[in-house]
Amino acid sequence: MANLLGKRYVCAECEATVLVTKAGEGSLTCHGQAMEPATAKPLPSSD
Amino acid sequence: MPVVDLDPGLVAAGPAAVGAALADRIGEPLLVRFPADGLAGADERLLRPWLRTAPVATLGVGEAPRAYRDALDCWVGDAATAGRLGDGFDRAPLAALTAALLVRSAPTGVWPGLVAESTAYSMLQGGPEFAAWRASRTATPADAPTLDADDAPRVRVRVEHGHTVVTLTRPARHNAVDVRLRDELDAALGTLAEARGPVILRGEGPSWCSGGDLDEFATFPDPARAHLVRLTRSLAGRVHALERRLVVAVHGACLGAGIELAAFAARVVAADDVRIGLPELGLGLVPGAGGTVSIPRRAGRSTLLRLLWAGDPIDAHRARRWGLVDEVVPPARLVERSHELAAEL
């Protein structure tokens, strides 16, 4: 279920970032480990 | 009291007479109550334009004449209900009037409506009624106990019975929306916007969603920036993008953002233990999670203002009569029924 359109994946080792522009099967690997989906930029409360 | 009751004869005499009666109090946040029998005798060509631009909230009392059914901000059938709404309005007249003006001339379309709502919300974050609520809070956010494990996920996405089910997983706080729940739900719904098929939203534990987390209220950076953040992480926008294939199952507390987000969905199914309400006036605010867009679209602006001004939650059957939810089922049937409705979409 890797590679969702519009998601960013980051290597924990070297911080290389991949932006998925076409969804598909398979997995993204860098430095021998699966790349993690990048989390959204933290924003403060609006309340 | 920021409430004015107009005499039927005065209403029938038209806008000049009404304006004269209000002259000494104009500029104050007012709720003006119109008796239905007075409206029946008024010239609608004169009074309707006045009602559209009046900088006061308008409440009709009695059986609405056809010409004025949609011309006043809110309608109720009897004086006792009108009295309760007046008392509710009095808790935060600036916020209560802001809501009425916002939905009276709402822009066309969901996104423009969300921008307008957020602008009004941020304005009130800088107002005296919110400041008074803030001052009345004894516990500061830092002192408040954290009942739920802080690192536990706030949202779970799973496929069940062939449908994508998004579950709020902060049961110890009745799934109150804090920054983490907001951001996790925003990310989950954003991903689902690119997928296909029905989506079911529901809450784990005793409630679907009790609204914004009060422990985080008044932690916004400043009103202008809060407006930008609200539109950047807009759960209302996310839910609206899914609305035609979305079923929301509500139970227990369904307050503030809980009903505001649910009201966007194609189908809302309620357990009969649900309590639906808009508590925002108690904080000197208006709904800020899309409720001034979703609730008028689903049930009319009069229903939105009645719920907001009254402040008290309503039960499942009344919510069904008002059109806020589509169906009421026993709690044990809620999950099963939400899947049946998803299958029909």
Side-chain angles (χ1 to χ4, degrees):
Chain A
M1 255 306 279
N3 309 343
L4 295 163
L5 181 67
K7 297 296 157 215
R8 288 181 302 132
Y9 292 81
V10 186
C11 172
E13 185 81 26
C14 71
E15 294 184 1
T17 302
V18 175
L19 174 64
V20 180
T21 57
K22 185 165 187 267
E25 295 300 314
S27 56
L28 295 162
T29 307
C30 186
H31 277 91
Q33 45 187 327
M35 297 179 80
E36 294 289 325
T39 49
K41 180 181 169 179
L43 290 176
S45 171
S46 63
D47 285 322
Chain B
M1 258 311 248
V3 181
V4 175
D5 282 300
L6 294 177
D7 179 78
L10 195 124
V11 175
V18 171
L22 298 174
D24 287 343
R25 302 196 61 187
I26 218 70
E28 295 172 33
L30 291 181
L31 175 65
V32 181
R33 290 194 289 230
F34 289 75
D37 52 347
L39 285 168
D43 183 344
E44 82 172 88
R45 285 168 310 170
L46 295 175
L47 195 52
R48 281 184 64 99
W50 186 90
L51 289 165
R52 256 201 307 279
T53 57
V56 297
T58 57
L59 174 63
V61 186
E63 178 129 11
R66 181 180 296 273
Y68 295 102
R69 206 167 288 167
D70 63 342
L72 281 85
D73 296 324
C74 185
W75 272 100
V76 294
D78 60 276
T81 309
R84 278 199 299 280
L85 292 190
D87 293 343
F89 190 97
D90 187 33
R91 291 174 301 149
L94 287 168
L97 173 58
T98 295
L101 296 178
L102 180 64
V103 295
R104 186 193 298 165
S105 45
T108 306
V110 168
W111 176 253
L114 295 177
V115 175
E117 175 189 280
S118 176
T119 306
Y121 189 98
S122 269
M123 173 189 77
L124 293 166
Q125 285 180 313
E129 292 165 350
F130 181 72
W133 174 81
R134 193 174 180 168
S136 75
R137 291 274 287 175
T138 45
T140 64
D143 299 334
T146 307
L147 298 172
D148 45 351
D150 214 33
D151 53 350
R154 302 268 203 265
V155 173
R156 181 176 64 234
V157 182
R158 221 158 50 187
V159 176
E160 294 173 21
H161 308 291
H163 302 129
T164 304
V165 178
V166 179
T167 307
L168 307 184
T169 55
R170 204 189 177 200
R173 299 297 301 271
H174 296 264
N175 297 316
V177 182
D178 64 352
V179 165
R180 279 200 35 221
L181 192 148
R182 176 196 74 187
D183 288 353
E184 288 183 31
L185 185 57
D186 177 73
L189 297 179
T191 303
L192 290 174
E194 296 152 25
R196 286 162 179 247
V199 176
I200 297 170
L201 255 174
R202 65 176 186 236
E204 194 171 87
S207 295
W208 144 242
C209 176
S210 60
D213 188 337
L214 291 186
D215 287 345
E216 283 192 356
F217 269 67
T219 63
F220 61 91
D222 62 77
R225 267 172 230 278
H227 172 58
L228 184 56
V229 170
R230 207 174 294 116
L231 294 174
T232 304
R233 293 280 151 84
S234 172
L235 292 179
R238 293 293 197 199
V239 169
H240 167 59
L242 292 172
E243 62 182 0
R244 285 192 190 150
R245 51 196 178 94
L246 186 63
V247 176
V248 180
V250 301
H251 70 292
C254 177
L255 305 173
I259 182 59
E260 296 175 52
L261 296 174
F264 279 110
R267 293 283 180 276
V268 183
V269 55
D272 59 22
D273 67 348
V274 79
R275 301 182 312 283
I276 294 180
L278 293 173
E280 286 89 347
L281 277 198
L283 288 71
L285 298 170
V286 292
T292 68
V293 179
S294 63
I295 296 173
R297 263 162 48 106
R298 183 169 249 280
R301 73 182 159 114
S302 180
T303 296
L304 168 85
L305 292 172
R306 186 168 173 175
L307 202 59
L308 179 70
W309 290 346
D312 301 322
I314 60 172
D315 67 19
H317 295 286
R318 178 168 290 205
R320 168 78 187 78
R321 281 200 304 279
W322 288 9
L324 288 166
V325 306
D326 299 305
E327 293 189 21
V328 178
V329 296
R333 270 274 290 157
L334 186 64
V335 169
E336 186 186 8
R337 187 62 192 146
S338 65
H339 281 286
E340 290 169 5
L341 289 169
E344 290 169 10
L345 289 180

